[in-house]
Amino acid sequence: MSRSTADSASSVPLPTPKERRRLREALALSEEEVAEAMGVTRATVRSWETGRSAPRGRKREAYAKLLGTPGPTDLVRPEAEPPAEPRAQAQEHSQQPQPQPQPQASAAGNVRPRAAVKRAAKPPRAPSPAPAISPGPARKGPSKPPERLRPVAAEAPAEPAAPAEPAAPAGPAQPPALTPEEAFDALYAYAAPGLVHQTYLLTGRRRLSREAVEYAFHHAWQRWPEVAVDADPVGWVRATAYEYALSPWHRFRRAHRHPDAPPTEANRRALLGALLELPPSYRRTVLLYDGLGLDLPETAAETEASTPAAANRLLHARAVLGRRIPELAEPEALHRCLSALVAEAPTATLLPARAVRAGSERRTRGWTRAVLGVTAALIVVTGFTAATAPTRYIPVNAPGEAVDGVPVRGGPQKLSPEDLELRDKLRAEPNPGPERLVPAVG
């Protein structure tokens, strides 16, 4: 593969991670089938759908065709002019009736993984609806999140018309392009108050909810080139805030060890208490689906779970809430109650967007300086050690030292009275002859 071909394959546009998952489920393909067709593992396909990584080269082009995204050859198709001699034959051949293409199989589940790549070059079929939750009717309300903010891109200036043609009437003036600071401020003003209220419903702690939203917007400003082109910037910030707020490490902090005082209204107090008794993943799933109105694939993608797992979590959460509050046993009643609770006007006081941007930049500078300082200290210590370390081994002979004090008591043990008597007898009666060794009788 030449360099130009590799560059064109690497520049194939791919849908967003959530859209990749939705398109795969619309084609009735599992992660194992896509992994087998692409020649990768299931974990790699999951990382593509969660946004942790992206395919490259020929795998990127094949993955785009598998999902139905046009590749570089589909975007521009220059038509080559046929030669002059066979042009007449081509015209006669075009006048003949062409055979109609055979319709594709309607059942997407019968498509084999190897045939999926071949079928990807053809136009994709209309996506099938998301799987519905079995107990209870389907929820009513918006199936998509609220209107998303996107920075308005400046359009390229139109080429001047030819002098012979009359000039076209000028259309309405386009709004000026937003600077990164203005786009971030607009996103913060639009989404921050509601996210603080949603995070409070998840944790029951007002201070922690404000801290989580500020943390999420700090990271959003640090990765603003990525967030600005995201199809759902509010969802990007919401996922970061939820992850931070539901972290289990906050239970070791004294300020966030216990939830705040419950509200005075009996209905809200009962619902908030029942929500806090659910596991964090179940709590987050029911809030996204029944509170914000996301559909099941989007809820599963944001919680980084499979669609069946998200459906089971939702069913379990509904069952627990129905047992705690009998009035909310029906899915429609729970959806109306949670939607009204999420749609309440937030009352939290937040920092201005400029302060959040300044705090993010200050934190980035602080971490950068700390890393540079530690790196410089390690370099200095390593250099000093290398300069002062000996180049060869020098044995050390310890000089002799005088020992002071009384030495340790040694020698034989203390004599018994019989030994003392025998010693005195031997001293009193010296006998140098051999008779000394003969014991006396009686």
Side-chain angles (χ1 to χ4, degrees), residues 128-322:
S128 58
I133 304 300
S134 54
R139 55 175 177 77
K140 299 180 181 178
S143 61
K144 295 291 181 183
E147 183 180 359
R148 300 155 180 168
L149 297 180
R150 297 182 183 177
V152 181
E155 297 184 356
E159 298 181 358
E165 298 178 359
Q174 296 292 337
L178 297 178
T179 62
E181 291 78 8
E182 294 174 349
F184 177 84
D185 295 351
L187 177 64
Y188 182 82
Y190 173 76
L195 289 179
V196 171
H197 184 60
Q198 298 167 23
T199 313
Y200 168 71
L201 297 179
L202 283 178
T203 61
R205 298 164 175 83
R206 295 179 176 84
R207 183 177 176 183
L208 178 59
S209 62
R210 292 192 296 268
E211 181 181 337
V213 173
E214 291 177 4
Y215 172 85
F217 275 98
H218 284 170
H219 278 256
W221 180 242
Q222 292 174 7
R223 297 169 175 81
W224 185 247
E226 173 189 349
V227 179
V229 299
D230 193 90
D232 185 12
V234 178
W236 194 98
V237 180
R238 179 177 62 238
T240 307
Y242 285 7
E243 288 289 342
Y244 182 85
L246 296 177
S247 175
W249 298 105
H250 295 305
R251 69 183 65 177
F252 299 104
R253 303 171 60 183
R254 180 176 301 179
H256 306 318
R257 189 171 301 173
H258 303 287
D260 297 343
T264 56
E265 296 84 352
N267 296 334
R268 293 186 57 186
R269 182 170 64 252
L271 181 56
L272 186 59
L275 282 175
L276 295 180
E277 290 183 359
L278 293 173
S281 57
Y282 294 75
R283 197 186 316 160
R284 183 177 179 181
T285 301
V286 72
L287 182 64
L288 290 174
Y289 188 84
D290 285 327
L292 296 181
L294 300 184
D295 56 9
L296 196 58
E298 290 180 348
T299 303
E302 186 160 332
T303 55
E304 295 186 359
S306 62
T307 304
N312 292 332
R313 291 175 181 177
L314 182 62
L315 295 178
H316 177 77
R318 284 177 172 178
V320 172
L321 293 177

Side-chain angles (χ1 to χ4, degrees), residues 16-22 49 232 235 238 298 301-302:
T16 60
K18 294 181 182 180
E19 188 67 14
R20 299 172 196 171
R21 182 187 185 127
R22 190 190 65 79
E49 294 182 353
D232 185 12
R238 179 177 62 238
E298 290 180 348
E302 186 160 332

Side-chain angles (χ1 to χ4, degrees), residues 1-24:
M1 182 173 60
S2 62
R3 184 180 182 86
S4 60
T5 307
D7 295 341
S8 62
S10 300
S11 61
V12 174
L14 288 177
T16 60
K18 294 181 182 180
E19 188 67 14
R20 299 172 196 171
R21 182 187 185 127
R22 190 190 65 79
L23 291 175
R24 175 181 62 78

Side-chain angles (χ1 to χ4, degrees), residues 1 4-17 20 23 34 37-40 44-45 47-49 51-75 117 120-121 229:
M1 182 173 60
S4 60
T5 307
D7 295 341
S8 62
S10 300
S11 61
V12 174
L14 288 177
T16 60
R20 299 172 196 171
L23 291 175
V34 175
M38 299 298 299
V40 295
T44 304
V45 176
S47 64
W48 292 351
E49 294 182 353
R52 294 192 182 96
S53 62
R56 298 179 180 179
R58 291 190 177 275
K59 290 187 181 298
R60 185 184 184 94
E61 185 176 359
Y63 187 58
K65 289 184 178 180
L66 180 64
L67 297 179
T69 307
T73 56
D74 301 331
L75 298 177
V117 179
V229 299

